[in-house]
Amino acid sequence: QVLLAESGGGSVQPGESLRLSCKMPSEIFNRSAMGWYRQVQRRERERVAFFGADGRVSYSASVKGRFTISRDDPQSTIYLRMNSLEPDDTAVYFCNAIAIYSHYQQTYWGQGIQVNVSS
């Protein structure tokens, strides 16, 4: 059962924008560090933007200044606003949540959503 529901991917031209959404159950959202990864075929999954357990936001060097992660707590949803998209941003994007309990952590992944950037 996939508990993280992603939406908002698609195909755009270089320079355009997209916004990804990831909705999850509130019981996961309220106790998780969470964010976005992406993966290009045959490469390792790369962390793109993330809310740490301490609330701090981090970005990969390749997207810093172009991508913005945000959250809507009442909706238990996180977003990834992607501006000035480049062909190298083409990938499958995954929502990730790490639910933190007193004695263990549980990791959740979305199914992944395709983003294509080409002219």
Side-chain angles (χ1 to χ4, degrees):
Q1 182 184 7
V2 177
L3 299 176
L4 276 55
E6 301 135 333
S7 62
S11 296
V12 296
Q13 294 188 342
E16 294 184 339
S17 299
L18 280 174
R19 190 181 77 159
L20 306 181
S21 301
C22 175
K23 186 169 179 63
M24 64 190 79
S26 60
E27 56 266 33
I28 295 175
F29 185 90
N30 292 333
R31 59 169 66 248
S32 290
M34 66 195 101
W36 295 92
Y37 284 70
R38 68 186 181 186
Q39 188 170 26
V40 178
Q41 199 171 11
R42 294 187 292 276
R43 293 186 182 176
E44 286 191 13
R45 203 168 284 190
E46 171 195 14
R47 178 180 283 190
V48 173
F50 208 78
F51 287 108
D54 58 2
R56 292 184 180 181
V57 175
S58 61
Y59 295 95
S60 69
S62 59
V63 307
K64 197 169 186 178
R66 300 187 297 121
F67 290 12
T68 303
I69 189 172
S70 61
R71 57 193 288 166
D72 182 337
D73 288 12
Q75 295 297 320
S76 300
T77 301
I78 60 171
Y79 302 96
L80 184 67
R81 176 69 178 182
M82 305 183 291
N83 293 331
S84 302
L85 282 161
E86 304 168 353
D88 283 349
D89 296 317
T90 296
V92 178
Y93 286 71
F94 294 89
C95 181
N96 169 256
I98 305 172
I100 301 168
Y101 299 90
S102 55
H103 298 296
Y104 70 99
Q105 296 179 351
Q106 180 71 47
T107 298
Y108 300 90
W109 290 97
Q111 286 187 309
I113 191 163
Q114 182 70 46
V115 171
N116 291 316
V117 185
S118 69
S119 54

